[in-house]
Amino acid sequence: MYDKLSVEEHLVFYARIKGVPESDIEREVDYVVNKCALSNERTKLAGNLSGGNRRKLCLGMAVIGGSKVIYLDEPTSGMDPVSRRYIWDILI
């Protein structure tokens, strides 16, 4: 994660790496931002995010582009119960 990139810039970057067509990137980023509850943090720099929102961003980077398999190592460790439940709902 790059501290000087915003949430949206991270997701666009990863979408391009994963081969999402340019015409679909904006729609895909919107979907992931909403799904990961990062709407209020969309323009914030990653370095300014809370620990829970950094984890949500990492999850968003993992799932953008329709990833079929992702490996996670305790993705909700240290999160508050509401955020933890939200992340598990995304993964299921």
Side-chain angles (χ1 to χ4, degrees):
M1 191 174 304
Y2 302 100
D3 288 344
K4 300 293 183 187
L5 290 180
S6 70
V7 168
E8 184 172 11
E9 290 167 336
H10 273 93
L11 295 174
V12 168
F13 179 68
Y14 274 82
R16 287 183 176 142
I17 287 173
K18 292 181 175 188
V20 175
E22 274 305 311
S23 60
D24 295 340
I25 288 179
E26 185 176 345
R27 180 183 48 80
E28 185 79 15
V29 168
D30 288 341
Y31 174 77
V32 171
V33 164
N34 290 327
K35 189 75 171 166
C36 292
L38 290 169
S39 297
N40 294 335
E41 287 77 21
R42 186 178 191 133
T43 59
K44 288 184 183 177
L45 298 179
N48 296 333
L49 294 175
S50 67
N53 284 331
R54 288 176 69 91
R55 287 177 192 243
K56 289 179 188 178
L57 175 55
C58 286
L59 178 62
M61 291 185 302
V63 301
I64 198 160
S67 300
K68 301 295 183 218
V69 176
I70 56 175
Y71 293 95
L72 304 170
D73 182 23
E74 299 185 34
T76 59
S77 175
M79 292 180 107
D80 64 273
V82 173
S83 295
R84 180 178 296 144
R85 183 66 199 165
Y86 203 84
I87 295 297
W88 284 116
D89 287 343
I90 291 168
L91 295 173
I92 294 175

